[in-house]
Amino acid sequence: MREMSANNAVQGGQQQQPQKHYGITSSISLAFPRELDHIYTHKLTEAMKPFGVFEDEEELNHRLVVLGKLNDLVKEWIAEISETKNLPLSAIANVGGKIFTFGSYRLGVHTKGADIDALCVAPRHVERPDFFQSFFEKLKLHEGIKDLRAVEDAFVPVIKFKFDSIEIDLLFARLALPAIPDNLDLRGDSHLRNLDIRCIRSLNGCRVTDEILHLVPNKENFRLTLRAIKLWAKRRGIYSNMLGFLGGVSWAMLVARTCQLYPNAVAATLVHKFFLVFSKWEWPNPVLLKQPEESNLNLPVWDPRVNPLDRYHLMPIITPAYPQQNSTYNVSTSTRTIMTEEFKHGLAVTDEILLGKVEWSKLFEPPNLFQKYKHYIVLTASASTEENHLEWIGLVESKIRVLVGNLERNEYITLAHVNPQSFPGSKEHCNENDFVSMWFIGISFKKVENAESVNIDLTYDIQAFTDTVYRQANNISMLKDGMKIEATHVKKRQLHQYLPPDVLQKKKKSIAEINRNSNGGGSKRCSLDGNPLDSSRDTDSGTPFSSPTLVSKPSKPNIDAEDSESITPSKIPAMCVDGSPPIDTSGKAELGMSIPVIGSKPVADPVVKSAQPPAGSTIPTVVGLNVIPRLTLPTNSQTAQMLLNGVTSANCTTPKRPHSPSMEESPKRLKDTEKLTVSDDSTFKEPYPPDNGGQEQDPGQVLESLGGTKPMPIPTIDTSRSQRLPSKELPDASSPLPTSNLRVIKNSIRLTLNR
């Protein structure tokens, strides 16, 4: 009895002690978990097990063995390089070298079969060409290493390989140190001094991951909650930084912020509070895990007071390690709307779960995008060989957010919802040897009032997207014969011509299929315009990918009129432009647009030929040789760099564009553009929950506190520095401009929206 009383007294004393303060605000609740909360947490764990989110002890040990072997290989290689560079023997013995991990593996939330993101850190005398040459050759000779490939010209250069069946993405960074000790801590900002920009990008993943783990009150509760949220996001189709949703590091930071606000809660409570907090969050107030700090290294950081482009970010989630970046600059108006609705849906489901009405499995039920909308754009990418196809769809997928941005700026489109999963294409109207992938974008049109019908022209929106893809493919010397993109408008009732019945019907997937999708589903593709901000790089699962299969292609749907709110194509001639870049037939430049390929100058007296349109509303773009339109870039250097890196205004709050470039009326402005003037500290405010002495607030109080606008003080940043770089870019030299012309066959999509 005395021992029990003593234990209770100790626990009571611990509860009364002031807790360490986490985050930039006080906690919403310091309440400790009840027995019921532990029961719900156990049920949550059991509900996640069928999805393959937990790795057994044998697999975990295998990963540790592989990483140990890789670490030994790195040390051996660095010693060999040091010898060739005539270092003294005493220095060679202590030169070191180390492998660091980051992303989902470092956070402790990796799934079965997931890859490992790793970083090779070398001393100052080892250079990047050594890594991609001599170390690459050393890996090639190792019998346990398969599927070795180097992507040296990527935004974040990487070597990819399988080591004893474990997929590894290995980055490289050299520090300004004569040797790399085994106890090196990368969190210190001093390590960034005198480094080139590629090394800073490579280090960013490890530094952000370590900082997140340092800023959460309980790592185990954080990990279990993050596993649940990542599984939920993948199942609901909103896990993809590349397509404008959130990637792994962004979800980790949102969960970490929830843990800071409820530091003593267990996973079941934290999942519920996650949905409560972010369903009420007043975007674009940023999510910050700590106060931004200035390290006087003059690196570009996220700061809307200094960088005007940062003021357009719709859903800023700021990385905690210097240089602070927005990990969600790909988010568009449509994707933010979709995610906000999913937060609200998650809150409703978890409310029912915690009332005992439903089980946790309901939270992980997938939606059916193909039953949600009346109209869809089917985007098809094809190539003549499997190798070319993998490269091509990687580029096309990385640019789909450009198409979404173009569509949502059309004044008659209220939402463009891309399904992150791609599907193998069909073959009836393609070469039998072609490899095809399809993506589906659900479209919501604005209801038309006081008009019998409205003509909508999507030609300009889609053609701008295809031009962007071809241009970048040409810039990186990827464009080959047979690489094509085609966009087609279909209605919901015509989807059966493109997809099998089990996809269209709301059918629960088998556990085996769930596991495949949870782990990425197949070969990973490297984004060619890689994201420097999301240090997970969407590698934990990203978007599921199935290798294309040779199946027959359905005939093109016959688009006919519907009784109400239907869209039908109008009969117009197709345009074939020979030897000139795509031009606006109206001869008028569109104002307020930021599409990478717009701004090209028409060649004098282009030869224009008229042709009959094919059946169906289709925009094929046929590629001949490795040629592309000549383009004139904007004179503003920042804008030019942004366009060359594939960053468009899809993530900015830009005016809606009239549906056709030939229209004379000025574009409408959105309300957000009136809010560009920002006071010194106002953009760093976060919903400010008051300290409640550890008592739980009711949802009404939480809503009120989250809606607060009290600005948060941050250290003053020197704004006198001239030409500060935009924070979302850590740029290299701009990509070369194409020098040849592309023969493009244009077919217009013009639709009629009826009352």
Side-chain angles (χ1 to χ4, degrees):
M1 281 296 282
R2 289 180 182 176
E3 187 178 347
M4 187 178 298
S5 300
N7 289 337
N8 291 338
V10 170
Q11 290 178 0
Q14 288 176 343
Q15 292 183 20
Q16 291 171 5
Q17 290 175 359
Q19 275 201 313
K20 179 181 175 182
H21 182 66
Y22 291 92
I24 66 171
T25 68
S26 58
S27 303
I28 291 178
S29 172
L30 296 175
F32 283 82
R34 305 162 298 166
E35 184 62 30
L36 185 61
D37 298 327
H38 289 292
I39 294 173
Y40 278 123
T41 298
H42 176 72
K43 289 182 177 181
L44 172 62
T45 304
E46 292 300 313
M48 288 193 288
K49 284 182 179 178
F51 295 93
V53 298
F54 298 106
E55 196 171 45
D56 60 36
E57 199 69 25
E58 183 180 351
E59 291 172 305
L60 187 57
N61 290 334
H62 179 52
R63 288 177 183 270
L64 293 174
V65 170
V66 167
L67 287 172
K69 290 180 181 179
L70 184 60
N71 197 58
D72 292 341
L73 268 178
V74 164
K75 288 187 174 182
E76 185 181 311
W77 164 68
I78 290 176
E80 293 168 358
I81 285 290
S82 303
E83 190 174 349
T84 63
K85 299 195 176 184
N86 300 320
L87 265 68
L89 291 178
S90 58
I92 293 174
N94 299 311
V95 75
K98 189 174 180 182
I99 288 290
F100 291 84
T101 59
F102 62 98
S104 62
Y105 180 80
R106 176 70 181 94
L107 288 172
V109 295
H110 60 284
T111 57
K112 286 182 180 179
D115 68 343
I116 297 177
D117 296 312
L119 169 69
C120 170
V121 176
R124 62 193 177 196
H125 61 273
V126 181
E127 300 179 357
R128 186 171 295 275
D130 297 327
F131 177 72
F132 282 98
Q133 293 169 14
S134 62
F135 186 63
F136 185 85
E137 291 302 319
K138 189 176 184 68
L139 291 175
K140 191 183 292 185
L141 297 175
H142 195 285
E143 60 181 10
I145 291 178
K146 310 292 182 186
D147 300 337
L148 180 67
R149 60 198 187 279
V151 192
E152 192 172 356
D153 56 352
F155 195 84
V156 182
V158 60
I159 293 179
K160 295 168 168 281
F161 54 93
K162 280 187 179 180
F163 197 157
D164 291 346
S165 303
I166 300 292
E167 283 192 47
I168 296 177
D169 287 358
L170 186 62
L171 312 183
F172 174 82
R174 67 167 181 164
L175 301 185
L177 298 174
I180 303 298
D182 286 337
N183 62 351
L184 178 67
D185 184 357
L186 295 178
R187 288 178 59 218
D189 294 346
S190 60
H191 293 311
L192 302 179
R193 199 175 301 277
N194 301 322
L195 296 190
D196 70 70
I197 202 66
R198 289 170 298 181
C199 286
I200 292 174
R201 290 180 194 144
S202 298
L203 286 166
N204 195 42
C206 291
R207 286 167 51 80
V208 168
T209 305
D210 288 349
E211 198 67 36
I212 290 172
L213 288 173
H214 182 72
L215 291 169
V216 295
N218 185 303
K219 292 183 179 60
E220 290 310 310
N221 288 340
F222 163 74
R223 286 175 175 137
L224 185 55
T225 307
L226 181 55
R227 284 184 187 275
I229 293 302
K230 289 180 69 172
L231 175 60
W232 164 81
K234 292 169 189 175
R235 297 286 287 160
R236 302 296 296 181
I238 54 173
Y239 189 105
S240 176
N241 175 70
M242 186 187 296
L243 294 177
F245 296 107
L246 302 190
V249 75
S250 299
W251 291 116
M253 287 189 286
L254 292 187
V255 171
R257 187 70 189 111
T258 308
C259 292
Q260 290 178 339
L261 294 172
Y262 300 90
N264 298 319
V266 291
T269 305
L270 287 169
V271 169
H272 177 248
K273 298 304 182 186
F274 172 90
F275 294 120
L276 176 63
V277 169
F278 293 108
S279 63
K280 316 287 186 185
W281 198 273
E282 291 193 348
W283 305 104
N285 284 328
V287 175
L288 299 160
L289 297 182
K290 59 184 284 191
Q291 287 287 5
E293 298 171 355
E294 178 61 52
S295 290
N296 297 318
L297 296 178
N298 201 26
L299 293 174
V301 299
W302 185 84
D303 188 352
R305 302 169 304 177
V306 176
N307 305 314
L309 288 176
D310 292 349
R311 303 171 194 171
Y312 290 95
H313 293 178
L314 301 177
M315 200 174 178
I317 302 172
I318 310 305
T319 56
Y322 181 84
Q324 296 85 6
Q325 305 284 295
N326 175 22
S327 67
T328 61
Y329 72 87
N330 286 341
V331 170
S332 69
T333 304
S334 290
T335 54
R336 185 180 71 174
T337 300
I338 293 161
M339 287 187 284
T340 301
E341 289 304 312
E342 287 296 338
F343 290 145
K344 293 175 181 177
H345 176 266
L347 178 61
V349 173
T350 51
D351 279 341
E352 290 186 325
I353 291 170
L354 297 184
L355 290 173
K357 295 181 178 179
V358 296
E359 297 299 322
W360 280 106
S361 56
K362 184 175 181 181
L363 183 65
F364 305 122
E365 290 178 359
N368 193 334
L369 177 70
F370 302 113
Q371 299 298 323
K372 189 173 183 180
Y373 301 98
K374 292 183 177 180
H375 305 281
Y376 296 84
I377 297 292
V378 182
L379 183 65
T380 304
S382 59
S384 55
T385 69
E386 185 173 11
E387 183 181 357
N388 289 350
H389 177 251
L390 287 173
E391 280 190 301
W392 185 232
I393 61 176
L395 175 61
V396 172
E397 185 176 43
S398 73
K399 297 299 178 189
I400 288 178
R401 67 178 185 270
V402 176
L403 175 58
V404 171
N406 293 351
L407 291 172
E408 68 186 14
R409 280 191 296 274
N410 189 299
E411 66 173 342
Y412 292 109
I413 293 177
T414 58
L415 189 77
H417 185 172
V418 58
N419 185 351
Q421 184 177 359
S422 62
F423 296 87
S426 44
K427 300 286 178 179
E428 194 168 298
H429 292 287
C430 293
N431 188 312
E432 288 185 1
N433 297 321
D434 276 358
F435 294 85
V436 184
S437 291
M438 298 185 298
W439 292 267
F440 291 81
I441 304 174
I443 303 293
S444 288
F445 288 96
K446 185 170 69 175
K447 290 186 177 180
V448 182
E449 297 179 0
N450 302 323
E452 289 300 323
S453 63
V454 174
N455 294 326
I456 302 173
D457 188 359
L458 300 182
T459 307
Y460 178 81
D461 304 321
I462 296 174
Q463 189 65 45
F465 160 72
T466 56
D467 290 347
T468 301
V469 176
Y470 286 126
R471 179 175 181 273
Q472 176 141 353
N474 183 79
N475 283 349
I476 61 178
S477 303
M478 179 198 288
L479 199 59
K480 298 178 179 67
D481 268 341
M483 289 183 171
K484 293 180 288 187
I485 314 174
E486 183 175 330
T488 307
H489 164 258
V490 299
K491 298 170 186 174
K492 181 170 69 174
R493 59 185 175 81
Q494 297 163 328
L495 288 173
H496 69 277
Q497 300 179 43
Y498 291 84
L499 294 167
D502 61 325
V503 173
L504 294 176
Q505 295 170 1
K506 221 166 187 180
K507 174 186 173 184
K508 291 187 178 179
K509 297 182 180 179
S510 66
I511 295 299
E513 186 178 357
I514 288 167
N515 290 340
R516 284 199 302 273
N517 288 347
S518 295
N519 295 327
S523 301
K524 283 169 43 184
R525 301 186 299 278
C526 178
S527 170
L528 294 163
D529 68 337
N531 182 7
L533 308 175
D534 186 346
S535 50
S536 73
R537 302 194 334 280
D538 285 342
T539 57
D540 183 32
S541 78
T543 54
F545 168 70
S546 303
S547 297
T549 54
L550 297 177
V551 294
S552 61
K553 182 174 183 178
S555 58
K556 296 285 174 58
N558 295 321
I559 309 295
D560 56 342
E562 290 187 356
D563 295 334
S564 63
E565 291 187 1
S566 66
I567 295 185
T568 55
S570 55
K571 303 291 184 180
I572 61 166
M575 303 301 295
C576 177
V577 182
D578 247 332
S580 64
I583 59 172
D584 181 0
T585 55
S586 68
K588 295 181 73 68
E590 177 59 38
L591 300 176
M593 292 299 295
S594 180
I595 301 174
V597 296
I598 303 308
S600 54
K601 295 180 180 179
V603 178
D605 300 321
V607 180
V608 180
K609 301 177 182 179
S610 178
Q612 291 299 320
S617 54
T618 303
I619 300 185
T621 307
V622 181
V623 182
L625 301 176
N626 288 359
V627 290
I628 206 74
R630 273 196 197 93
L631 300 167
T632 303
L633 283 179
T635 56
N636 181 287
S637 62
Q638 286 188 1
T639 306
Q641 183 63 40
M642 181 176 70
L643 300 185
L644 289 171
N645 282 278
V647 180
T648 70
S649 58
N651 59 345
C652 301
T653 307
T654 53
K656 285 261 187 180
R657 179 180 71 73
H659 69 275
S660 170
S662 62
M663 293 184 67
E664 296 182 358
E665 57 264 41
S666 60
K668 297 184 294 182
R669 292 185 177 274
L670 294 180
K671 293 182 180 179
D672 287 351
T673 59
E674 300 170 2
K675 302 178 181 178
L676 292 183
T677 305
V678 184
S679 61
D680 280 352
D681 291 328
S682 62
T683 50
F684 286 93
K685 67 187 177 218
E686 187 185 71
Y688 196 105
D691 190 356
N692 60 352
Q695 298 300 315
E696 178 70 40
Q697 299 181 37
D698 62 44
Q701 290 176 314
V702 174
L703 172 58
E704 184 178 353
S705 65
L706 290 174
T709 57
K710 183 175 180 180
M712 294 303 301
I714 66 161
T716 303
I717 297 177
D718 180 12
T719 58
S720 63
R721 289 195 290 263
S722 61
Q723 295 185 353
R724 192 184 187 101
L725 293 171
S727 68
K728 64 177 176 299
E729 301 295 345
L730 297 176
D732 281 327
S734 60
S735 58
L737 292 177
T739 57
S740 53
N741 292 331
L742 170 68
R743 177 186 175 93
V744 178
I745 299 176
K746 289 176 149 186
N747 292 328
S748 297
I749 288 184
R750 290 187 181 176
L751 313 171
T752 301
L753 186 65
N754 298 326
R755 282 189 72 181

